[in-house]
Amino acid sequence: MNIIMLGVPGAGKGTISKELHEKYNLPHISTGDIFRENIKNNTELGKLAKSYIDTGKLVPDDVTINIVVDRLKREDCKDGFILDGFPRNIIQADGLKKALSANNKKIDVVILVDGDVDKIIKRLSGRRVCEKCGTPYHIETLRPKVDGVCDTCGGKIIQRKDDSEEVILDRINVYNEQTKPLIDYYKKDNLLKSVDGLAKIEDVVKQVEDITGLR
Ligand code: ADP
Ligand code: ZN
């Protein structure tokens, strides 16, 4: 099953994708995680991506599309994948469609993680993340067993720089202008399904399982 997770920053795309990855072993491809990994390792891509990410802008499309297309060529994607945070605009969506169809593949479903945007933004400021492995946490709703320490890898739990108040607003603007049009784009292709991003994580995962038939 080839899945796209769509939704406003903080809606829970990453958290849901990680759950599905663990349960069903589908590769979880998060462009944000790929960029952050490269920033941490100070690669050329990381140096390029950093200025965009820190200010809430999109990393240029050609760079981003190439990364995803390369990643999708890997063996582990042959029986399906979860794209989280990609595509983020029409150009990326067209690029993806083209690359997939060149390999006789297609997207099976686009999951819109939906919900009241004001509530989601509020939740964003409580978001924390493992510095080392990227596992998401929340100061109220998704706490680690030991304060400040990642359950999965023992890494340090931090707040992302772009989860600061000013950058959040910039990211929401980018979402509204560039990403939101993808809702209609995928509606036209009859691929769009919505889940409630404000529900409890296990309930959202159930909703995705109902939609996709994953069990
Ligand atoms: P969120 O969905 O919470 O905003 P992500 O980890 O998906 O978090 O994205 C963080 C940042 O990484 C974005 O604000 C953007 O700068 C960059 N980024 C992620 N995915 C893309 C993409 N598909 N195209 C361009 N930039 C991206
Ligand atoms: Zn960790």
Side-chain angles (χ1 to χ4, degrees), residues 9 13 31-32 36 53 57 59 85 88 92 127 160 171:
K13 305 182 293 289
T31 38
R36 279 185 291 276
I53 292 194
K57 296 197 182 70
V59 177
R88 257 176 152 91
Q92 293 181 7
R127 175 158 84 177
R160 267 166 50 180
R171 285 159 62 205

Side-chain angles (χ1 to χ4, degrees), residues 130 132-135 150 152-155:
C130 172
K132 219 163 139 194
C133 75
T135 297
C150 176
T152 317
C153 79

Side-chain angles (χ1 to χ4, degrees), residues 130-170:
C130 172
E131 186 181 49
K132 219 163 139 194
C133 75
T135 297
Y137 294 94
H138 190 278
I139 52 169
E140 278 157 17
T141 53
L142 201 63
R143 303 175 58 158
K145 294 196 182 83
V146 179
D147 261 355
V149 182
C150 176
D151 293 345
T152 317
C153 79
K156 192 174 152 203
I157 296 174
I158 55 152
Q159 179 172 38
R160 267 166 50 180
K161 213 181 192 172
D162 61 340
D163 280 344
S164 71
E165 210 118 334
E166 324 87 85
V167 185
I168 287 176
L169 291 180
D170 288 329

Side-chain angles (χ1 to χ4, degrees), residues 10-200:
K13 305 182 293 289
T15 311
I16 302 164
S17 303
K18 282 212 162 66
E19 288 281 320
L20 294 173
H21 164 70
E22 271 156 34
K23 279 177 97 166
Y24 303 106
N25 204 28
L26 288 169
H28 169 208
I29 304 169
S30 155
T31 38
D33 284 351
I34 294 172
F35 292 139
R36 279 185 291 276
E37 186 65 26
N38 276 275
I39 291 173
K40 202 165 73 187
N41 296 327
N42 207 22
T43 66
E44 286 308 310
L45 171 63
K47 284 180 208 159
L48 173 101
K50 186 170 173 19
S51 58
Y52 295 96
I53 292 194
D54 283 352
T55 53
K57 296 197 182 70
L58 294 188
V59 177
D61 291 329
D62 51 347
V63 176
T64 308
I65 293 170
N66 280 332
I67 288 169
V68 174
V69 169
D70 269 355
R71 178 65 186 85
L72 292 176
K73 281 184 193 143
R74 299 232 298 255
E75 176 70 14
D76 63 344
C77 292
K78 75 175 192 332
D79 296 325
F81 52 79
I82 305 165
L83 281 173
D84 160 18
F86 180 94
R88 257 176 152 91
N89 61 25
I90 304 270
I91 294 173
Q92 293 181 7
D94 282 340
L96 174 67
K97 205 182 260 179
K98 226 170 100 190
L100 287 175
S101 74
N103 290 294
N104 287 317
K105 290 187 182 183
K106 61 175 177 51
I107 294 299
D108 296 305
V109 66
V110 178
I111 310 271
L112 174 65
V113 188
D114 214 355
D116 183 86
V117 177
D118 290 334
K119 287 199 185 122
I120 290 174
I121 297 172
K122 274 206 194 99
R123 195 173 66 177
L124 244 191
S125 53
R127 175 158 84 177
R128 299 293 182 271
V129 62
C130 172
E131 186 181 49
K132 219 163 139 194
C133 75
T135 297
Y137 294 94
H138 190 278
I139 52 169
E140 278 157 17
T141 53
L142 201 63
R143 303 175 58 158
K145 294 196 182 83
V146 179
D147 261 355
V149 182
C150 176
D151 293 345
T152 317
C153 79
K156 192 174 152 203
I157 296 174
I158 55 152
Q159 179 172 38
R160 267 166 50 180
K161 213 181 192 172
D162 61 340
D163 280 344
S164 71
E165 210 118 334
E166 324 87 85
V167 185
I168 287 176
L169 291 180
D170 288 329
R171 285 159 62 205
I172 302 291
N173 285 337
V174 169
Y175 176 81
N176 284 331
E177 280 165 23
Q178 302 201 45
T179 311
K180 226 177 174 180
L182 291 179
I183 295 175
D184 276 337
Y185 180 100
Y186 287 120
K187 256 187 200 160
K188 277 189 197 126
D189 288 348
N190 244 323
L191 293 175
L192 196 88
K193 302 274 184 212
S194 299
V195 296
D196 177 10
L198 291 164
K200 277 197 305 218

